[in-house]
Structures are given as structure tokens and as C-alpha cells.
Amino acid sequence: MNWFVDLNISDKITIISSSVTAIISIASVWIALKALQTTKNSIVEANRPYVVIAIETIDIGFYAKYLVVKNYGNTGAYIKSIKSNHDFSDKYFSNFLKDFSDKFIAPGQSFITYLDIQQNESHMQFEISYTDSNKEYKETFKLDTSLYKHHVHQTVNKSNLGDLENTLNNIFHAQSKTRL
């Protein structure tokens, strides 16, 4: 460090300012690279497929339950497989999950089938594997069907109205509830 002491003041200032400039430049490049990586990750995440399995209910005079497979993402996906811990072998839609093997599901597209849930069934688990053009995804969905056991359906049966009028009244009531 003796060489630094022997320098005149203008040389010392030049060396110090050059060093500070180099450090700031390196830090700026590092920050720019991190920002670029974050932006790239955000774009990839925003444009990937999000294939979801859920249970939906529809009020049709009673609460009908449906199993829904839907792509909520912005790109399509090729479904490799859907597996479940639930025994669908005795149900009329036993091939519903098997039919998805190597099938394409577009953004916003959904597949729906009636779900016959017995009173003693409370948990269903699904594992779905799918790919887009870049990556393979594997997601697990745990559905608690006991949430639907206590849904109460309200119907109106006014004695001064006929069957058709009461049915129409209940249909309009069910439609109005969907906007709540």
C-alpha cells in the first residue's frame, strides 16, 4: 500500500473514483440480470397451463355434484394421466379419468362428468400429470366431499300455483342464487 501513499492527490482521486465506478457497474449488471431472470420467470408462470380438478355443484332442484377438469392457464396442456385414490370402477363414468391419457386441453376448456358421492365418502385425492411445450407438471388435489353433505336445497311449493308455476319459480330462484 506504499505506492498509494506516494501518489499525488489527483491520482488518488482518479483511482478511487475508477474503483467506485467499477463496483457500481458490476452491481448494476448483477441487478439487471436478476431483474431479467425475474421477468422471464413471471412471463413463464403467467403463460403456463394450470389444470385443476374440482367438484362443482349445480342447483337443479337438488344439488347435483360434478367432477370438473379445467385448464385455467393461458396455454394448452397435454394431459399425461389422472390418477385417483377413489374407486370409480363401479360407476358409470369409470373411464372418464382414463380417457384423458395424452389428450390436449385448451385454455379455458373444461370437461365435466356427474359425480355420485356416497354419504360415507369424505375425501378424494387426484394426481394429474400434464405438460406444455416446455415443462412437465404434476399436481395433487385433495377434495373434501363432506362440504357438500349439509347443503340445503330450498324449494317453494305455493298451493295457489300449479306445478308448472312452482317449477318455474324454483328455477328462477336457483338462477338468482348463482349471482350471489
Side-chain angles (χ1 to χ4, degrees), residues 15-143:
I15 290 173
I16 291 172
S17 65
S18 296
S19 299
V20 169
T21 303
I23 291 170
I24 291 172
S25 297
I26 290 169
S28 297
V29 168
W30 183 80
I31 290 170
L33 289 174
K34 282 298 198 182
L36 184 63
Q37 182 65 33
T38 301
T39 302
K40 180 183 174 189
N41 290 344
S42 295
I43 291 170
V44 168
E45 284 297 311
N47 290 312
R48 65 163 273 204
Y50 287 96
V51 180
V52 174
I53 298 175
I55 297 172
E56 294 288 338
T57 59
I58 298 175
D59 184 355
I60 54 171
F62 63 93
Y63 285 109
K65 295 157 198 72
Y66 292 88
L67 185 67
V68 179
V69 178
K70 184 172 182 173
N71 182 359
Y72 287 96
N74 290 324
T75 58
Y78 284 96
I79 297 177
K80 295 299 181 189
S81 67
I82 299 177
K83 298 174 184 170
S84 176
N85 67 341
H86 187 75
D87 180 20
F88 289 112
S89 61
D90 61 338
K91 308 289 193 252
Y92 61 88
F93 60 96
S94 63
N95 292 323
F96 179 74
L97 299 179
K98 293 176 192 170
D99 288 343
F100 278 105
S101 182
D102 292 322
K103 296 295 189 279
F104 181 79
I105 184 168
Q109 185 177 16
S110 61
F111 295 95
I112 302 168
T113 190
Y114 180 73
L115 184 61
D116 186 14
I117 301 174
Q118 303 302 318
Q119 289 297 325
N120 60 349
E121 299 174 279
S122 63
H123 292 86
M124 300 169 78
Q125 182 169 317
F126 294 91
E127 180 181 279
I128 183 166
S129 297
Y130 59 96
T131 63
D132 62 5
S133 59
N134 300 318
K135 189 175 176 183
E136 183 167 335
Y137 305 94
K138 184 181 265 189
E139 314 226 15
T140 301
F141 298 93
K142 295 178 182 178
L143 307 178

Side-chain angles (χ1 to χ4, degrees), residues 126-168:
F126 294 91
E127 180 181 279
I128 183 166
S129 297
Y130 59 96
T131 63
D132 62 5
S133 59
N134 300 318
K135 189 175 176 183
E136 183 167 335
Y137 305 94
K138 184 181 265 189
E139 314 226 15
T140 301
F141 298 93
K142 295 178 182 178
L143 307 178
D144 185 1
T145 59
S146 66
L147 295 171
Y148 304 100
K149 288 181 181 177
H150 303 293
H151 279 196
V152 177
H153 181 76
Q154 176 73 30
T155 57
V156 175
N157 193 6
K158 295 182 178 178
S159 59
N160 62 332
L161 298 177
D163 287 342
L164 179 61
E165 289 87 0
N166 278 318
T167 301
L168 288 173

Side-chain angles (χ1 to χ4, degrees), residues 59 63 152-156 166-180:
D59 184 355
Y63 285 109
V152 177
H153 181 76
Q154 176 73 30
T155 57
V156 175
N166 278 318
T167 301
L168 288 173
N169 191 8
N170 288 321
I171 289 171
F172 291 133
H173 180 78
Q175 286 299 314
S176 297
K177 285 192 308 186
T178 62
R179 292 185 220 130
L180 294 178

